[in-house]
């Protein structure tokens, strides 16, 4: 077993996803030597992206190229990654906790007969080895665990668990041809984009989220107006999505998306634990609620107590005045 930390990088539309950069940042913080951090990139025609990824992986990038990897399939990913892990013998295999990781990572753990810790919020190293922290009981408690014995540990990191660091550079790219070792990936007949809206919430720097306190579907327009004034994306807690005020893809929380923007507006959101789980990685939280005792204020960097339908329009007006000045 080597000291290698292997990071499986996820990409979309020709770019490395932010959650993968967070996983690489975590690996760099854990490694005793930056050269222990390696990344793996799977796809076809991604030579330029592999070179960019090398800036984040001082130990180098293993870029596996092939027609079989042009589109993601769990069978192809598991076949290639299990072979690589057998060769590199990493002590730790990291990836971002995304829908893709939820699909293939447990399969990879089973293939390697290795421990799997999903949706991890932190990793601590010490004299007794690595300790992993993750949320349990719907986010109400933090559980810390360790994995006894030898063998790789597979960990998927929650969005926003580790702030991305500046890429250290120095990595190189090793390009290989895909070899699935006899595995038969499923056939993909077509790919249709799902309902994702104008901005990927997991990648958004600014999010304005509305809750039940907004009132109804028509009144929810004020959330869109504030997001437009800020140049941000629109999110929501579960009640507005369940009531069809907004599309379901905008839901943030334990049964929706986990986000980690630089700025998060929680408007008319009480702060139920199910919602807090999805936005606790936000760098700055502004809460607007008429209930001064709302739980959301415990998470807020700044809090405004009052009628959101008076506060938000006034805020939008000031933002527009500042932009015109």
């Amino acid at each position: 077993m080597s000291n290698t930390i292997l990071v499986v990088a996820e990409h979309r539309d020709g770019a490395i996803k932010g959650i993968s950069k967070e996983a690489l940042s975590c690996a760099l913080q854990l490694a005793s030597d930056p050269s222990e951090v390696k990344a793996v990139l799977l796809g076809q025609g991604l030579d330029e992206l592999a070179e960019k990824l090398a800036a984040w992986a001082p130990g180098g990038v293993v870029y596996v190229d092939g027609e079989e990897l042009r589109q993601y399939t769990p069978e192809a990913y598991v076949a290639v990654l299990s072979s690589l892990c057998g060769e590199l013998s990493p002590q730790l295999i990291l990836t971002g906790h995304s829908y893709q990781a939820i699909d293939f990572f447990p399969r990879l753990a089973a293939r390697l007969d290795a421990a799997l810790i999903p949706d991890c919020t932190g990793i601590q190293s010490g004299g007794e080895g690595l300790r992993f922290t993750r949320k349990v009981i719907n986010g109400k408690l933090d559980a810390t665990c360790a994995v006894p014995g030898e063998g790789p540990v597979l960990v998927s990191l929650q969005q926003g668990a580790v702030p991305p660091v500046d890429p250290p550079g120095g990595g190189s790219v090793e390009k290989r041809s895909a070899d699935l070792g006899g595995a038969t990936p499923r056939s993909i007949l077509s790919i249709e984009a799902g309902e994702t809206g104008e901005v990927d919430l997991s990648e958004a720097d600014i999010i304005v989220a509305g809750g039940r306190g907004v009132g109804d579907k028509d009144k929810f327009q004020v959330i869109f107006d504030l997001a437009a004034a800020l140049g941000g994306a629109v999110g929501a807690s579960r009640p507005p999505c369940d009531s069809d005020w907004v599309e379901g893809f905008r839901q943030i929380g334990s049964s929706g998306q986990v986000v980690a923007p630089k700025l998060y507006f929680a408007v008319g959101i009480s702060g139920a634990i199910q919602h807090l789980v999805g936005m606790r990685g936000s760098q700055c939280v502004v809460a607007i609620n008429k209930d001064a005792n709302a739980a959301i204020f415990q998470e807020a960097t700044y809090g405004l107590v009052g009628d959101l339908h008076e506060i938000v329009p006034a805020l939008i007006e000031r933002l527009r005045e500042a932009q015109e000045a």
Side-chain angles (χ1 to χ4, degrees):
M1 183 66 58
S2 71
N3 292 326
T4 299
I5 302 176
L6 188 65
V7 179
V8 182
E10 188 173 338
H11 56 90
R12 179 187 295 172
D13 299 328
I16 300 298
K17 293 193 68 175
I19 198 170
S20 294
K21 294 178 180 177
E22 293 176 8
L24 285 158
S25 299
C26 179
L28 289 166
Q29 293 173 15
L30 291 172
S32 56
D33 186 326
S35 65
E36 296 170 352
V37 177
K38 288 182 176 290
V40 58
L41 180 68
L42 308 182
Q44 184 182 39
L46 302 176
D47 298 78
E48 185 176 343
L49 190 60
E51 293 292 341
K52 293 180 180 178
L53 181 60
W56 293 86
V61 174
V62 179
Y63 166 40
V64 185
D65 176 88
E67 172 64 26
E68 304 92 334
L69 298 170
R70 182 175 63 86
Q71 301 290 353
Y72 162 78
T73 63
E75 297 87 357
Y77 265 52
V78 170
V80 172
L81 290 170
S82 61
S83 177
L84 276 177
C85 291
E87 175 187 336
L88 299 174
S89 298
Q91 64 162 332
L92 192 61
I93 305 168
L94 295 176
T95 195
H97 190 74
S98 63
Y99 290 118
Q100 182 171 295
I102 291 170
D103 188 41
F104 83 87
F105 224 41
R107 300 170 190 243
L108 180 60
R111 177 72 63 86
L112 298 174
D113 192 23
L116 169 66
I117 303 177
D119 207 13
C120 188
T121 58
I123 306 176
Q124 300 80 39
S125 60
E128 298 180 355
L130 296 176
R131 294 289 185 270
F132 307 93
T133 302
R134 60 189 306 271
K135 298 290 183 181
V136 295
I137 314 179
N138 206 16
K140 293 182 173 67
L141 297 175
D142 287 334
T144 300
C145 55
V147 178
E150 295 292 329
V153 180
L154 282 72
V155 178
S156 62
L157 287 168
Q158 187 179 105
Q159 178 94 28
V162 180
V165 300
D166 293 332
S172 59
V173 177
E174 177 191 351
K175 185 176 180 179
R176 302 185 181 188
S177 296
D179 180 3
L180 304 191
T184 305
R186 68 188 66 181
S187 298
I188 297 182
L189 302 179
S190 66
I191 296 178
E192 298 180 8
E195 192 178 36
T196 57
E198 70 280 6
V199 177
D200 181 356
L201 289 179
S202 67
E203 299 288 328
D205 286 334
I206 300 174
I207 295 176
V208 180
R212 191 198 307 271
V214 174
D216 57 40
K217 185 172 184 176
D218 292 337
K219 292 178 180 178
F220 212 88
Q221 182 59 43
V222 74
I223 304 299
F224 285 88
D225 293 342
L226 179 56
L230 289 166
V234 173
S237 60
R238 182 168 182 169
C241 297
D242 287 349
S243 301
D244 292 326
W245 297 356
V246 292
E247 304 90 337
F249 67 80
R250 299 188 186 278
Q251 183 177 331
I252 296 168
S254 58
S255 55
Q257 294 197 55
V258 175
V259 299
K262 295 178 180 177
L263 177 61
Y264 188 88
F265 271 80
V267 184
I269 294 175
S270 62
I273 186 64
Q274 291 84 356
H275 182 74
L276 298 181
V277 167
M279 47 70 67
R280 271 184 168 153
S282 306
Q283 294 181 26
C284 179
V285 177
V286 179
I288 302 174
N289 200 296
K290 65 181 180 181
D291 180 5
N293 296 315
I296 191 66
F297 288 120
Q298 300 298 317
E299 302 291 328
T301 313
Y302 303 99
L304 297 172
V305 179
D307 186 341
L308 69 90
H309 293 291
E310 295 178 0
I311 293 173
V312 174
L315 181 58
I316 293 171
E317 183 178 351
R318 292 298 299 271
L319 286 169
R320 289 172 177 168
E321 289 175 356
Q323 292 167 358
E324 293 171 358

